Amino acid sequence: MYFLTLSGLAGTCWAMTTTIEKYYLLKKFSSEELFFYRHLFLVIFFLILFSLNLKKKLLKKTINLKNRKLQLNIFLIFYSLLVALGMYLFLASLKSPTLSNVLTLSACVWITLPIIISFMFFGENINMKQLIGIIAIMFGIYMVNLNE
């Protein structure tokens, strides 16, 4: 049950930041500027976190990438680029007049695509309830965007 609380809190944080970005920050900054500032503050936050880490294990593990396999480093770079591209595209899409269109489509893809990829490539099982849920999500997205 602990993960449900964390998931709910994470969703609440994302909901609040999305609303703040849409209705306040994107009126003051371009998507590119907001993207830059957000990541600048994240870097500063993690530098403070690393400096406060008393055991220094996290810092050693993070900086010790030179001893990792080349394939893992390439994968980490690809992953980081996907995260950055996804965030940039999301911020750019928030310029849309209605938040419901942007959020419904991005949330639908964010929820259903990992389930489908996990099923296809990593052998995760999808039971009947999950399959019905995926179909219901996609139908709901269609209904929300029906008047567009």
Side-chain angles (χ1 to χ4, degrees), residues 1 10 24 26 29 32 35 43 47-48 52 64 74 78-79 82 95 101-102 114 119 121 123 133 139-140 142:
M1 285 306 232
Y24 183 72
L26 284 172
F29 301 102
E32 293 85 6
F35 178 81
V43 167
L47 286 175
I48 293 169
L52 295 176
N64 198 13
I74 291 172
F78 175 71
Y79 163 79
L82 276 178
K95 294 280 188 177
N101 292 353
V102 172
F119 172 75
F121 297 107
F139 181 73
Y142 172 76

Side-chain angles (χ1 to χ4, degrees), residues 93-130:
S93 70
L94 284 179
K95 294 280 188 177
S96 167
T98 56
L99 192 57
S100 63
N101 292 353
V102 172
L103 288 181
T104 53
L105 183 57
S106 62
C108 174
V109 172
W110 178 68
I111 292 168
T112 58
L113 194 58
I115 296 169
I116 294 168
I117 290 172
S118 296
F119 172 75
M120 292 175 62
F121 297 107
F122 299 105
E124 188 168 316
N125 293 327
I126 296 178
N127 62 35
M128 188 55 75
K129 288 180 185 178
Q130 291 169 322

Side-chain angles (χ1 to χ4, degrees), residues 44-90:
I44 292 169
F45 171 76
F46 281 111
L47 286 175
I48 293 169
L49 180 68
F50 286 150
S51 68
L52 295 176
N53 185 0
L54 299 176
K55 295 180 183 177
K56 304 295 182 198
K57 289 181 182 178
L58 182 61
L59 186 60
K60 287 179 185 176
K61 193 172 191 177
T62 303
I63 293 180
N64 198 13
L65 290 177
K66 65 182 177 185
N67 294 334
R68 304 278 185 207
K69 293 181 179 177
L70 178 62
Q71 182 180 7
L72 178 59
N73 287 335
I74 291 172
F75 187 77
L76 284 172
I77 291 169
F78 175 71
Y79 163 79
S80 299
L81 289 173
L82 276 178
V83 169
L85 179 63
M87 180 53 60
Y88 174 76
L89 293 173
F90 181 72

